[in-house]
């Protein structure tokens, strides 16, 4: 029986009030949340308020790797089979059409998608796919299964979902910017602290160097006329200690005043390979399993090759040393490409991952401080020097770790577009 006119009107008004309320509520809660996981949770629960769907999968763009990754906490095994990137057909369709993809209504458009994507949509019983689009790029997309009450999605459901997800896209972009900004502030703070420490260290290094040279030559002189084997051994030990101090001072100076960069076009993969050759003996001796993963064609940057080699050497040596007592000794070097969030620049991400003992959370902040070491004969200068060199190149050096789970050092170097 058709609804009476006034009943219909009442229904429409009620719906309008409901959507207005949701709209206000979305806005309020979405813009208040700065934490991405919380935001994703919130979006998922709002979707369920609008329509009871039996599946929600949110994919978000990782702008560093240019791949879409699960936004939801609970990954769906089905979706492990496929990797969405900026070049995926589905991503293209959503970017170009700027609207949702209604699977049951767009059988023609389905053929545009790749076979993998079509299979997946069928297998996961997906009915609606919404873009999360912000200004000029697809920040992510949301796949929804069928309604669990077996109803079809109404025009009204879809309008509300669209409203929600348009707002969600902006809120998600905001959290990404927010995260980027807090990371930047933290780095600035670190760079500042390092600069001051560097000046102090340079002052001290100069003061130490002169007396040290005098001590060294005096010991050498004393050793010349010495025939007593025991005493000679003591002299040798003294010399070794002096040389160790010298090495530290040398490191300090190079940290405080890195020499001018001599830039040229450098192939990062070649440089990594050269570094591995330098460490070949150690790697074989310690039975370390080395993997090199390169997922980008152009691996050339403009940089100072010998200084970068120094960085790679420091970082890889740290990885090797951290695996001293590990059952599994696996060193993975990766080279990927990425883009800045505003799409203005392109960079290489070079990662060094080990399966060593990892770093305690409390130590993470300290490891960039000159002389901070947890090793018996460490200098504590490898990381601060590396950090300085990468910074001088306009790049970034970051360390991610969990105790017992090993460490990943990521070095980000700009590539000219
Ligand atoms: N890959 C790694 N795994 C575990 N700890 C690490 C790793 N890299 C660096 N560290 C920690 O950071 C500290 C500082 O490193 P670094 O500046 O190279 O000095 P050093 O190697 O001489 O100790 C190390 O002593 C160690 O505690
Ligand atoms: Mg080191």
């Amino acid at each position: 029986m058709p609804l009476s006119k006034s009943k219909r009107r009442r229904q429409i008004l009620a719906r309008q009030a409901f959507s207005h309320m949701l709209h206000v509520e979305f806005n309020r809660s979405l813009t208040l949340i700065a934490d991405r996981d919380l935001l994703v949770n919130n979006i998922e629960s709002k979707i369920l308020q609008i329509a009871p769907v039996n599946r929600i999968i949110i994919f978000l763009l990782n702008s560093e790797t240019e791949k879409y990754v699960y936004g939801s906490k609970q990954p769906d095994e089905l979706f492990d089979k496929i990797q969405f990137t900026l070049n995926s057909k589905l991503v293209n369709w959503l970017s170009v059409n700027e609207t949702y993809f209604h699977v049951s209504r767009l059988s023609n458009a389905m053929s545009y998608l790749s076979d993998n994507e079509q299979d997946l949509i069928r297998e996961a019983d997906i009915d609606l796919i919404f873009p999360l689009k912000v200004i000029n790029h697809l920040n992510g997309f949301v796949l929804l299964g069928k309604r669990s009450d077996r109803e079809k999605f109404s025009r009204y459901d879809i309008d509300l979902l669209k409203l929600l997800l348009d707002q969600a896209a902006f809120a998600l972009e905001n959290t990404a910017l927010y995260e980027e900004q807090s990371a930047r502030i933290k780095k600035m703070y670190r760079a500042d602290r390092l600069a001051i420490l560097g000046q102090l260290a340079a002052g001290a290094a100069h003061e130490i160097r002169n007396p040290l040279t005098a001590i060294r030559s005096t010991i050498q002189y004393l050793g010349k006329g010495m025939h007593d084997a025991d005493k000679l051994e003591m002299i040798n030990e003294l010399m070794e200690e002096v040389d160790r101090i010298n090495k530290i001072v040398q490191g300090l100076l190079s940290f405080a005043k890195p020499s001018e960069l001599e830039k040229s076009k450098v192939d990062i993969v070649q440089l990594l390979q050269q570094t591995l050759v330098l460490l070949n003996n150690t790697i074989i001796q310690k039975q370390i399993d080395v993997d090199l993963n390169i997922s980008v064609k152009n691996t050339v940057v403009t940089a100072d090759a010998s200084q970068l080699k120094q960085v790679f050497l420091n970082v890889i040596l740290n990885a090797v040393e951290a695996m001293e007592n590990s059952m599994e000794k696996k060193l993975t070097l990766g080279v990927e490409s990425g883009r800045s969030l505003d799409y203005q620049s392109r960079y290489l991400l070079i990662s060094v991952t080990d399966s060593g003992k990892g770093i305690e959370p409390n130590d993470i902040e300290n490891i960039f401080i000159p002389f901070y070491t947890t090793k018996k004969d460490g200098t504590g200068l490898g990381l601060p020097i590396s950090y300085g060199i990468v910074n001088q190149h306009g790049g970034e050096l970051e360390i991610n770790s969990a105790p017992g789970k090993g460490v990943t050092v990521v070095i980000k170097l700009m590539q000219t577009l």
Side-chain angles (χ1 to χ4, degrees), residues 332-372:
T332 313
L333 307 183
V335 184
E336 288 182 89
S337 73
R339 267 190 204 168
S340 61
L341 222 74
D342 57 9
Y343 279 58
Q344 295 300 306
S345 47
R346 184 164 255 300
Y347 45 77
L348 280 188
L349 291 169
I350 305 141
S351 59
V352 176
T353 304
D354 63 61
S355 58
K357 60 179 175 340
I359 304 175
E360 296 291 330
N362 284 344
D363 278 340
I364 284 266
E365 279 304 306
N366 295 332
I367 57 177
F368 288 104
I369 296 178
F371 299 119
Y372 181 86

Side-chain angles (χ1 to χ4, degrees), residues 14-69:
R15 279 180 174 183
Q16 276 174 351
F18 182 62
S19 36
H20 179 72
M21 187 195 78
L22 278 182
H23 180 80
V24 172
E25 222 263 306
F26 291 165
N27 249 339
R28 193 169 32 222
S29 61
L30 295 185
T31 47
L32 277 179
I33 304 176
D35 179 86
R36 210 189 59 172
D37 290 343
L38 273 182
L39 186 59
V40 168
N41 265 342
N42 196 288
I43 293 167
E44 286 172 343
S45 70
K46 292 220 159 69
I47 292 175
L48 291 173
Q49 271 179 39
I50 297 173
V53 291
N54 49 24
R55 189 173 240 133
I56 304 176
I57 309 284
I58 299 182
F59 272 95
L60 295 175
L61 179 65
N62 178 334
S63 63
E64 302 231 311
T65 59
E66 300 187 338
K67 287 174 185 145
Y68 289 87
V69 290

Side-chain angles (χ1 to χ4, degrees), residues 233-246:
E233 202 187 315
M234 282 161 83
I235 294 261
N236 278 337
E237 272 170 26
L238 275 183
M239 284 296 267
E240 270 171 33
E241 288 300 306
V242 168
D243 285 342
R244 207 168 82 85
I245 299 176
N246 220 351

Side-chain angles (χ1 to χ4, degrees), residues 353-416:
T353 304
D354 63 61
S355 58
K357 60 179 175 340
I359 304 175
E360 296 291 330
N362 284 344
D363 278 340
I364 284 266
E365 279 304 306
N366 295 332
I367 57 177
F368 288 104
I369 296 178
F371 299 119
Y372 181 86
T373 179
T374 54
K375 298 168 194 167
K376 211 170 77 232
D377 48 4
T379 62
L381 287 173
L383 283 181
I385 287 176
S386 305
Y387 188 90
I389 294 175
V390 173
N391 245 345
Q392 221 188 343
H393 279 84
E396 288 169 18
L397 187 153
E398 253 179 32
I399 296 211
N400 300 311
S401 175
K405 295 235 169 86
V407 165
T408 298
V409 179
V410 182
I411 295 165
K412 184 163 144 182
L413 291 174
M414 291 299 160
Q415 272 184 317
T416 32

